Amino acid sequence: MAARAPGANADRPDVPALKVGAGATAITATTHLDRTLAIVFVIAALALPFILDALGAGYYLSLASRIVIYAIAATSLNLVLGYAGLVSFGHAAFVGLGAYATGILVSEGVVGSGWHLLATVAVTGLAALTIGAISLRTRGVYFIMITLAFAQMLFYLANSVKGYGGDEGLNIKARSVLGFGAFAIDLKNPLALWYVAVAVLGASLLALARFGPSRLGRAVLVLRDDDVRAEALGFPTYRLKLLVFVVAGVLGGVAGALSVNLQGYVSPNVLHWTQSGTLMVMVILGGVATVWGGLVGAATLLLLQEVLAAYTEHWEFWTGWVLLAVVLFARQGLVGLLGSARRSVAERR
Amino acid sequence: MACSFALFAVSAHAADKVKIGFVSTLSGPSSALGVDIRDGFLLGVKLNGGKLGGLPAEVLVSDDQFKPDVAKQLFEKNIKRDKVDFMTGVVFSNIMLAALPEAYDNNVIYISTNAAPSSIAGKDCNPLFFAVSWPNDAYHEAAGQYANTRNLKSVYLVAPNYQAGKDSLAGFKRTFKGQIIGENYTKLGQLDYAAELAEIRAAKPQAVYIFLPGGMGINFIKQYVGGGVGKDTALLLPAFSADQDVINAVGAPMAGLFNTAHWAPDFTNPANQKFMAEFEKEYKRVPTLYASQGYDAAQLVNAAVRDVKGKIEDRQAVRRALKMAHFDSVRGPFKFNVNQYPVQNYYVRTIGSDGKGGLINKSFSEPILKNHGDAYAQDCKMKD
Amino acid sequence: MSGVLLIEQALNGLQFGLMLFLLAAGLTLVFGVMDMINLAHGSLYMVGAFLAAWLVGLTGSFVLSVLGAVALTGMFGMALEAGLLRTLYARDHLSQVLATFALILILNDGVKMVFGTDLPLSAPAALAGPVELFPGFQYPAYRLLILGVGLALAVALYLLVQKTRMGALVRAGASNRPMATAMGVNIRALFTLVFGIGAALCAVAGALLGPLLAVQVGMGENILILAFVVIVIGGIGSIRGALVGSILVGCIDTLGRTGLQQVFREFLPPQWASAAGPAIASVAVYVFMAAVLAFRPQGLFPARS
């Protein structure tokens, strides 16, 4: 990987170059770790509801669903932040747009999931295209600030529309319904929601795993580390970045649509910058530019919160220290930590 | 998908105790309200020997941190994991409205110790919802009526921009016969009122009427006094901005201000005298109207559980028992309307000396509104 | 809008802008000189407010408490820099984001553990009333104090940065760090000092705004993001830019929210007008930032040569 700080530009030396973890390498080949995690994932996805029920812990299925939905959002951010090196501080905007698009349709009586999907993709796709087209003309810290600015604008807009709740939020009574007639699956059923969510997550992870080693994926990785070289090699850098940005935005929107189905409620807080920050923390915690980073990060953060909260009301305090420890001692995130642990075990044999 | 999962049915356990989920705002600038409701409720349980209706009571208290999504999760936890029999405690309308569906979806009764918005008082009334406090509009209807008796001609209105805020100003306008020269909705939780006070000063009303509960009201009144707006303008308040929590925080400028409420500390009925004595003994402070609501909620549940002889699994029977409201409220006469909101009297109070160097609310004996329900009950088609 | 109303709102906007400047000044120096994204800057503001409220409870004197809070927060800031943040300078921005985000969590709960979720803080009794600025116009005395302190600190900072040797070193570090190091400047000590000053400025803002807003856990989060917007508008590393930027943002926000509300009330129901006005004013701030980035990407007063 090039030694020059990514985002640096020979003719714009005054623009502070954005440093995106020179140590983060994309796992471009399927490793032993990947295969193990994949098997665990499939088993957990299918069996978790039954396991929880047997343990009398059925309540925790909604926590598990929340983890999966956050994992989808975090994975989508990982695509744009980790793989493409675009530090978007406004990703929560797309999650929020998906949630509102779906929520508003349900509150107006439209429950067909086909409509919801169409609206989510259209709205978030258009937003990502617009925001991306403008923001990608900037670099470094200015890119961060511009994406943040757009997200904040959407946040305040959501606050201003009193007709759909404004800052009080929007409550919906119904949920998305997949299919028709006898084959209708109502996402009000927690089991149905769980399977749909893990299916979406599974598909996203699979797509990401295929994307990394593909031609497109390698091109994106090159331009993450060195714009100038990428352009010199003839890559259409702007269009590639925009493509990744839009795809990530749409996937984030889908996560939002699922989240409003889980909660039955959406408020402008979903678009707040602290939500974007939380997603970023999940990605960095899990492992930037890794397939499993989003899921590992989301699961770790939310489970930490839940477990610690049972023992102490100061769970935020301890969560902060854990995050700090990861930053200081596990530079490649938890996935990197797992990977190196396996490697050192293997080496010792 | 017809899967019968024990996951998704709330099991009706044999009633050997009563479990109550208490979710309220216990942190932040408006925490005094939630803390008082909790303290009033727990006192009610304690004075019944730790029991409600003869069954040992277990109250699970948690803090919604003034956030609707947190409240939703806490409701879900209490209902699905802890399998409570009743939910109660929420202070703010928007938080309560976001969390209520959890209770409705699982056939759990919610007793409101504070918020009782107009949006669920009429055609959206729900048999699982009981308000032991007052309809949201009520204090403000009383204040509008009082403003008429004071011959006030022009009033400027301020309230936060959420359901209860909307209800409050709608209530005032329903009874007030003069002119409204300004209607300003602030952000819920806003604490800096420089802009609003500047506009009030420019509009020059005869009186200002605000609905700003908790920390919001405290800050507004301090800044109102600090900006010199009060010199030529009367300040009219609902008890939410004039009760003991605000009096303690603002101090001397509160003396002489008039406000409206359903309860005052100086009511002489036996239930209230016991409540006042026990609360001050237990907590070493004067209770607010919020505490009185928490206390009454405990008495209400106590009476209902007693009347169904402990068989709380029969939700229908519990509901009917609750509706009868066979308990002695600290406010005096109390009964439920068809929409399960209270029908009661409302009084004017003024802030005067408590004889010990401090200030306290004193009521006028003649109610300003008698046997008053709400404007929405006729739209409620609840079957019994 | 009548003349008096306009003047009063302009003063309010100026007051808000000056407090924002106190946060932005520290932030722009840290970002400009040390190239570090510090999300925990708002937490220093919160710590300052809590310390002031606690000290008032102990001593009863507002002035002493504010000075004490400023000193303590400054020292806390320096300790934080030397102990932890120093290791982040060499790291990438993402790691800095994660680490300072973790710091927000730790400080939020830490403050809660030591002081509770909120503390009351009142303006000193002497300033609790209004001052007649000219016949027919009264303005709260306390806000005049804030204006005065804000202006005084702005002047002091300007003099410090432009006229003193230390200020010259800071400006050198901001515009060209490798060169400054090569010239033998003790970078480590400079950084610690800059961070400490930034923390102290946050404490002033926190202590002064405490009586108007509320001293509560998490109070720094909203103002932090505005501070970032201000330094981007003003130019990263530039004190002058931070001042101009914060006053502009303060005025757009304050005048915008009331002005727009009045406009909206002409054709929208009052609840909608009251929601839309402030929201669009906030949007306007971000649109302004985007416009500055489009036409003058380095900000209005860039620090770098």
Side-chain angles (χ1 to χ4, degrees):
Chain A
M1 296 292 160
R4 190 211 300 259
N9 206 331
D11 44 39
R12 290 281 299 277
D14 55 303
V15 174
L18 184 68
K19 305 179 278 190
V20 178
T25 48
I27 300 174
T28 51
T30 321
T31 63
H32 196 56
L33 177 65
D34 279 328
R35 278 194 287 273
T36 321
L37 284 174
I39 295 171
V40 170
F41 178 80
V42 172
I43 295 178
L46 292 173
L48 194 70
F50 301 90
I51 299 173
L52 286 176
D53 190 34
L55 292 172
Y59 152 75
Y60 289 101
L61 187 62
S62 75
L63 171 66
S65 305
R66 194 151 38 102
I67 291 177
V68 169
I69 293 172
Y70 261 106
I72 298 172
T75 303
S76 70
L77 179 61
N78 205 351
L79 176 64
V80 78
L81 190 155
Y83 285 77
L86 304 168
V87 184
S88 162
F89 211 138
H91 205 69
F94 303 119
V95 179
L97 279 173
Y100 266 101
T102 306
I104 289 176
L105 279 178
V106 172
S107 73
E108 296 293 339
V110 180
V111 291
S113 66
W115 293 112
H116 297 166
L117 191 60
L118 190 66
T120 301
V121 170
V123 170
T124 49
L126 195 61
L129 195 62
T130 317
I131 296 176
I134 301 174
S135 313
L136 285 168
R137 297 190 190 279
T138 65
R139 293 226 148 75
V141 69
Y142 300 113
F143 177 76
I144 304 183
M145 292 308 296
I146 266 259
T147 50
L148 172 69
F150 279 116
Q152 286 291 88
M153 286 190 232
L154 288 169
F155 168 74
Y156 286 112
L157 276 173
N159 267 298
S160 71
V161 184
K162 224 37 192 167
Y164 288 116
D167 62 345
E168 291 178 73
L170 182 67
N171 273 304
I172 55 170
K173 296 203 171 84
R175 302 287 191 273
S176 302
V177 178
L178 282 73
F180 306 89
F183 301 103
I185 302 172
D186 190 339
L187 290 187
K188 199 159 188 149
N189 181 332
L191 206 59
L193 183 61
W194 164 259
Y195 283 124
V196 170
V198 288
V200 172
L201 179 61
S204 316
L205 293 174
L206 197 61
L208 194 58
R210 290 278 168 78
F211 170 75
S214 73
R215 259 194 48 169
L216 189 61
R218 287 182 203 272
V220 169
L221 283 172
V222 169
L223 69 85
R224 178 193 80 173
D225 292 319
D226 196 333
D227 260 39
V228 180
R229 182 161 77 137
E231 283 211 24
L233 287 171
F235 290 123
T237 54
Y238 178 76
R239 272 186 287 161
L240 276 177
K241 286 184 188 173
L242 191 57
L243 177 67
V244 171
F245 194 83
V246 171
V247 170
V250 169
L251 186 57
V254 171
L258 286 170
S259 95
V260 75
N261 269 293
L262 178 65
Q263 304 248 6
Y265 172 77
V266 60
S267 83
N269 286 332
V270 184
L271 296 127
H272 198 242
W273 72 267
T274 46
Q275 281 293 98
S276 292
T278 303
L279 287 175
M280 280 175 76
V281 166
M282 286 177 179
V283 171
I284 303 169
L285 181 64
V288 166
T290 65
V291 172
W292 298 99
L295 173 55
V296 170
T300 309
L301 197 60
L302 290 175
L303 283 174
L304 250 183
Q305 196 176 311
E306 186 74 21
V307 167
L308 288 176
Y311 289 105
T312 163
E313 61 173 284
H314 299 294
W315 54 267
E316 267 198 342
F317 187 73
W318 299 112
T319 307
W321 284 109
V322 170
L323 290 179
L324 212 49
V326 170
V327 176
L328 295 174
F329 305 118
R331 293 194 177 204
Q332 273 154 278
L334 290 172
V335 172
L337 202 62
L338 277 174
S340 64
R342 281 196 132 253
R343 272 197 296 278
S344 63
V345 165
E347 277 155 26
R348 263 188 228 129
R349 288 223 189 97
Chain B
M1 265 216 182
C3 308
S4 57
F5 265 94
L7 290 173
F8 312 117
V10 179
S11 57
H13 59 100
D16 54 350
K17 62 178 161 179
V18 182
K19 267 185 156 179
I20 314 239
F22 188 99
V23 174
S24 196
T25 305
L26 302 172
S27 57
S30 297
S31 56
L33 283 60
V35 165
D36 250 32
I37 299 180
R38 178 199 65 192
D39 288 349
F41 189 86
L42 292 177
L43 181 68
V45 174
K46 179 174 173 212
L47 291 178
N48 277 318
K51 298 195 176 129
L52 288 172
L55 290 179
E58 188 183 337
V59 185
L60 304 163
V61 178
S62 40
D63 179 9
D64 63 26
Q65 300 168 44
F66 201 36
K67 294 180 183 148
D69 14 26
V70 175
K72 276 181 79 76
Q73 282 169 29
L74 291 171
F75 265 57
E76 197 189 353
K77 203 178 281 203
N78 281 155
I79 292 171
K80 294 221 177 100
R81 189 186 67 175
D82 307 315
K83 313 258 196 289
V84 298
D85 304 297
F86 299 92
M87 289 294 307
T88 186
V90 181
V91 176
F92 291 94
S93 305
N94 60 326
I95 297 179
M96 189 184 76
L97 287 171
L100 271 177
E102 293 292 338
Y104 291 167
D105 288 346
N106 293 286
N107 204 27
V108 170
I109 293 172
Y110 182 79
I111 314 263
S112 178
T113 45
N114 201 57
S118 64
S119 54
I120 52 175
K123 64 173 173 56
D124 286 330
C125 60
N126 194 302
L128 292 169
F129 182 85
F130 288 85
V132 81
S133 46
W134 21 255
N136 270 10
D137 301 18
Y139 280 18
H140 318 284
E141 291 168 330
Q145 185 58 13
Y146 176 63
N148 293 337
T149 65
R150 286 264 296 262
N151 265 321
L152 290 169
K153 295 286 184 283
S154 69
V155 176
Y156 193 102
L157 302 174
V158 183
N161 205 349
Y162 75 128
Q163 184 62 47
K166 181 167 146 234
D167 288 344
S168 69
L169 300 187
F172 187 89
K173 288 190 283 184
R174 191 170 294 128
T175 50
F176 181 60
K177 298 196 176 58
Q179 198 201 5
I180 307 289
I181 60 170
E183 196 173 338
N184 206 332
Y185 291 93
T186 59
K187 185 165 161 49
L188 183 64
Q190 177 181 328
L191 295 162
D192 189 351
Y193 294 99
E196 287 76 17
L197 287 167
E199 288 191 59
I200 290 175
R201 198 203 299 280
K204 298 201 207 330
Q206 254 192 313
V208 172
Y209 181 73
I210 63 165
F211 165 58
L212 289 170
M216 296 178 256
I218 292 172
N219 272 39
F220 181 90
I221 296 176
K222 278 189 190 170
Q223 290 166 25
Y224 181 86
V225 171
V229 185
K231 300 263 165 61
D232 313 303
T233 312
L235 182 62
L236 211 51
L237 305 166
F240 306 120
S241 299
D243 216 61
Q244 208 59 41
D245 56 322
V246 179
I247 293 174
N248 291 345
V250 177
M254 298 295 292
L257 289 180
F258 290 91
N259 61 96
T260 50
H262 77 293
W263 172 86
D266 61 356
F267 281 4
T268 50
N269 65 73
N272 192 47
Q273 292 193 317
K274 179 175 178 194
F275 166 65
M276 290 298 299
E278 293 289 344
F279 194 94
E280 291 194 54
K281 187 168 90 178
E282 176 82 14
Y283 299 108
K284 316 271 186 293
R285 66 175 192 270
V286 175
T288 60
L289 55 97
Y290 304 102
S292 79
Q293 288 154 201
Y295 184 82
D296 268 351
Q299 305 304 347
L300 174 68
V301 174
N302 178 52
V305 175
R306 176 198 66 208
D307 290 348
V308 298
K309 303 199 189 2
K311 292 199 180 51
I312 50 179
E313 323 81 73
D314 185 350
R315 293 273 195 262
Q316 272 296 88
V318 173
R319 272 201 56 245
R320 265 179 256 123
L322 280 170
K323 207 150 183 169
M324 303 291 280
H326 279 151
F327 75 104
D328 295 319
S329 168
V330 300
R331 73 198 78 181
F334 175 96
K335 65 176 195 280
F336 279 120
N337 207 335
V338 297
N339 55 5
Q340 294 167 181
Y341 281 45
V343 175
Q344 58 197 357
N345 299 336
Y346 296 91
Y347 303 83
V348 177
R349 319 182 310 175
T350 184
I351 299 175
S353 165
D354 63 357
K356 293 177 247 168
L359 293 170
I360 198 167
N361 270 295
K362 298 178 181 189
S363 59
F364 291 96
S365 48
E366 194 54 35
I368 185 104
L369 290 176
K370 239 193 191 123
N371 262 338
H372 187 76
D374 60 81
Y376 313 96
Q378 71 262 15
D379 298 325
C380 173
K381 302 279 178 278
M382 198 191 296
K383 292 163 233 98
D384 207 40
Chain C
M1 232 196 263
S2 76
V4 171
L5 184 57
L6 192 60
I7 295 177
E8 186 164 357
Q9 300 291 35
L11 281 176
N12 292 335
L14 187 63
Q15 177 232 301
F16 176 47
L18 283 171
M19 289 298 102
L20 196 54
F21 165 67
L22 292 180
L23 268 107
L27 199 61
T28 203
L29 286 180
V30 166
F31 204 161
V33 176
M34 286 100 95
D35 195 22
M36 184 174 80
I37 297 184
N38 179 18
L39 291 181
H41 199 73
S43 302
L44 293 169
Y45 162 83
M46 171 184 74
V47 167
F50 268 92
L51 283 171
W54 173 65
L55 285 173
V56 166
L58 280 185
T59 67
S61 160
F62 188 78
V63 177
L64 282 178
S65 305
V66 173
L67 292 173
V70 169
L72 286 171
T73 311
M75 290 194 285
F76 176 71
M78 290 199 278
L80 197 61
E81 194 272 348
L84 170 69
L85 296 175
R86 188 175 283 182
T87 58
L88 295 174
Y89 296 150
R91 300 286 298 271
D92 53 290
H93 283 153
L94 273 184
S95 299
Q96 291 170 358
V97 165
L98 182 57
T100 51
F101 190 91
L103 211 51
I104 295 180
L105 294 180
I106 296 174
L107 287 174
N108 266 348
D109 232 349
V111 162
K112 201 196 297 189
M113 290 196 282
V114 174
F115 297 112
T117 54
D118 46 272
L119 281 180
L121 179 60
S122 289
L127 294 171
V131 166
E132 188 144 30
L133 289 182
F134 54 81
F137 178 54
Q138 294 186 309
Y139 195 70
Y142 187 68
R143 287 182 200 267
L144 284 175
L145 171 76
I146 296 182
L147 276 168
V149 171
L151 283 169
L153 280 173
V155 169
L157 261 174
Y158 177 74
L159 290 174
L160 181 73
V161 168
Q162 292 295 116
K163 305 280 182 210
T164 65
R165 183 178 145 77
M166 196 209 107
L169 292 176
V170 167
R171 273 182 292 131
S175 75
N176 196 329
R177 189 163 359 115
M179 185 64 89
T181 321
M183 304 276 278
V185 177
N186 183 351
I187 287 293
R188 276 194 147 190
L190 185 69
F191 284 7
T192 309
L193 191 60
V194 166
F195 201 85
I197 293 179
L201 289 172
C202 284
V204 176
L208 286 180
L209 285 177
L212 290 178
L213 308 175
V215 177
Q216 56 175 316
V217 166
M219 64 192 281
E221 275 159 35
N222 285 321
I223 206 167
L224 172 74
I225 224 61
L226 272 183
F228 271 105
V229 169
V230 162
I231 69 176
V232 167
I233 290 175
I236 297 179
S238 161
I239 293 284
R240 204 176 350 162
L243 183 61
V244 172
S246 27
I247 293 181
L248 280 174
V249 167
C251 288
I252 294 177
D253 193 64
T254 308
L255 288 164
R257 50 181 59 221
T258 40
L260 284 172
Q261 257 191 75
Q262 294 204 328
V263 168
F264 287 141
R265 270 188 215 134
E266 300 297 316
F267 54 89
L268 284 179
Q271 257 203 310
W272 290 46
S274 290
I280 304 295
S282 300
V283 171
V285 169
Y286 288 96
V287 169
F288 179 56
M289 180 185 91
V292 169
L293 279 180
F295 296 113
R296 243 180 112 78
Q298 296 98 301
L300 295 175
F301 297 93
R304 287 162 212 248
S305 44

